[in-house]
Amino acid sequence: MIQTLFGSLDQEVQKEEKKSGFFDRMKQAVTRTRESLSERIEDIVSFNKEIDANTLDELEATLIAADLGTATTHEVLEKLRQQADRKQIADVAELKRLLKQELLAILNSAVQPAQAVEPPEVILVVGVNGTGKTTSIGKLASVLRGQGKSVLLCAADTFRAAAIDQLEIWGQRTGTEVIKTKPGGDPAAVLFDALQAAKSRSTDYVIVDTAGRLHTKSNLMSELEKMKRTAQRIVPGAPHEVLLVMDATTGQNGLQQARQFTASAGVTGIVLTKLDGTAKGGVVVAICRELGLPVRYVGVGEKAADLLPFNAQDFVDSLFE
């Protein structure tokens, strides 16, 4: 009984340490955004002294600079202005608390409850070249294997030989098998092979790399549709998740690409890379508000462990602490 009790307490401590570790890493990742947002708010309030319409007008420019986008910024400030008019914002601490509350509400509005899926769960990963798509796949494999799950990688980006090589390197790093074909081969065919292998081995996850297609190339989008049909024939309900990899440093330009992908590829979630390399992390909020899509993971570095499951509360707290 005592051993069980200590074991239970030890597990709780480990959970708390892990949670604290994720928060600290998120806080470090958004350092540049926090400096441009939270510290700027301090400057605005110290100059104006009173939280009034002029203060919020200046805050508008700050939020847009952080890449929340015009529509999201207007929505947030409209609610803050109503409270300012009623003299309900006394100081900078209250302003930050209310702003955090509004941002968190937007982020949580895009959250979709996880659905129980019979293995293999098929994750299709899409996005333009240069966003960190293949690297994110390798990191995601590392995350899932760290949870004790079995994973198979499918190298269906056959248009670039380098993409296949890169995925194989990540397979070696994470101890994950890669199903591939020769460069220029049929992506749907290699997906077929990967799913058949996953079913026969009772694999938990199949993560599929796809060509880094620009949203304007309709032939490549057609190829993606073909892959989705192939997946559905072999694994009913597949793909269970279509993750779009976005580069946080591209800001609103990336958001426009995301709209096209969402319409064409049935995107269900976002992987936001290079969050640590930008002062415009507010794009996370814009994604959730304007696309209605949840951010599933954020990339905060180059190592296998540098892909963090996104937590809205941690993200918002990190922006202001």
Side-chain angles (χ1 to χ4, degrees):
M1 181 66 179
I2 294 176
Q3 288 181 337
T4 303
L5 177 60
F6 282 151
S8 176
L9 287 174
D10 187 52
Q11 289 175 357
E12 288 302 316
V13 169
Q14 289 178 359
K15 285 181 181 178
E16 285 301 315
E17 288 178 346
K18 187 174 183 180
K19 182 178 179 182
S20 175
F22 278 149
F23 176 75
D24 289 342
R25 295 184 69 196
M26 180 67 78
K27 187 175 176 181
Q28 180 64 34
V30 300
T31 297
R32 293 179 64 185
T33 301
R34 182 171 60 252
E35 289 171 351
S36 68
L37 178 59
S38 183
E39 294 177 13
R40 175 60 181 150
I41 293 174
E42 296 275 359
D43 291 341
I44 292 171
V45 175
S46 64
F47 181 78
N48 290 331
K49 303 300 182 184
E50 183 181 351
I51 311 295
D52 55 15
N54 290 332
T55 308
L56 296 183
D57 285 344
E58 291 191 47
L59 178 60
E60 179 175 9
T62 299
L63 295 180
I64 291 175
D67 235 353
L68 265 77
T70 304
T72 305
T73 296
H74 285 172
E75 178 182 310
V76 169
L77 285 182
E78 181 58 32
K79 295 181 180 179
L80 293 181
R81 284 191 175 100
Q82 292 172 9
Q83 297 180 74
D85 289 344
R86 295 194 295 268
K87 306 293 184 182
Q88 292 179 328
I89 306 179
D91 52 29
V92 67
E94 181 66 5
L95 176 60
K96 287 186 177 182
R97 187 190 70 79
L98 292 171
L99 182 55
K100 285 171 63 175
Q101 179 179 296
E102 294 302 328
L103 298 181
L104 188 60
I106 293 172
L107 293 171
N108 285 335
S109 69
V111 172
Q112 300 166 1
Q115 301 293 325
V117 174
E118 194 74 23
E121 182 168 341
V122 182
I123 302 174
L124 211 61
V125 184
V126 301
V128 301
N129 289 330
T131 57
K133 178 172 56 66
T134 305
T135 298
S136 295
I137 290 171
K139 293 177 182 178
L140 180 55
S142 180
V143 169
L144 295 174
R145 284 182 58 79
Q147 297 171 357
K149 304 296 184 181
S150 55
V151 181
L152 198 61
L153 299 180
C154 174
D157 183 356
T158 61
F159 293 95
R160 282 195 317 128
I164 300 174
D165 295 340
Q166 187 181 7
L167 198 64
E168 284 194 294
I169 291 171
W170 275 104
Q172 293 167 5
R173 287 179 183 173
T174 60
T176 309
E177 184 179 352
V178 178
I179 303 297
K180 63 177 183 177
T181 188
K182 61 184 179 181
D186 182 0
V190 71
L191 175 59
F192 178 91
D193 291 342
L195 295 182
Q196 292 284 31
K199 287 184 68 176
S200 67
R201 304 173 194 176
S202 299
T203 302
D204 294 314
Y205 289 91
V206 178
I207 309 176
V208 187
D209 192 10
T210 65
R213 59 202 76 217
L214 291 171
H215 56 272
T216 52
K217 295 188 177 179
S218 58
N219 59 321
L220 291 175
M221 283 299 182
S222 298
E223 187 65 51
L224 184 58
E225 284 298 324
K226 179 182 175 183
M227 292 174 65
K228 291 172 72 174
R229 291 194 300 270
T230 298
Q232 289 164 3
R233 285 201 305 270
I234 302 168
V235 180
H240 305 98
E241 184 98 85
V242 179
L243 295 179
L244 172 63
V245 179
M246 290 179 60
D247 180 342
T249 64
T250 62
Q252 296 298 308
N253 290 333
L255 200 60
Q256 180 56 34
Q257 289 181 350
R259 290 189 185 94
Q260 298 290 339
F261 269 106
T262 301
S264 304
V267 174
T268 58
I270 302 293
V271 178
L272 191 67
T273 63
K274 308 176 188 177
L275 184 62
D276 56 322
T278 180
K280 297 186 175 184
V283 72
V284 172
V285 183
I287 288 168
C288 294
R289 190 263 181 196
E290 297 185 35
L291 301 178
L293 291 172
V295 175
R296 302 290 196 202
Y297 296 92
V298 291
V300 297
E302 298 301 320
K303 299 177 182 177
D306 291 338
L307 187 71
L308 304 182
F310 182 75
N311 180 286
Q313 185 71 61
D314 284 353
F315 175 74
V316 172
D317 287 344
S318 296
L319 290 179
F320 293 93
E321 288 197 15

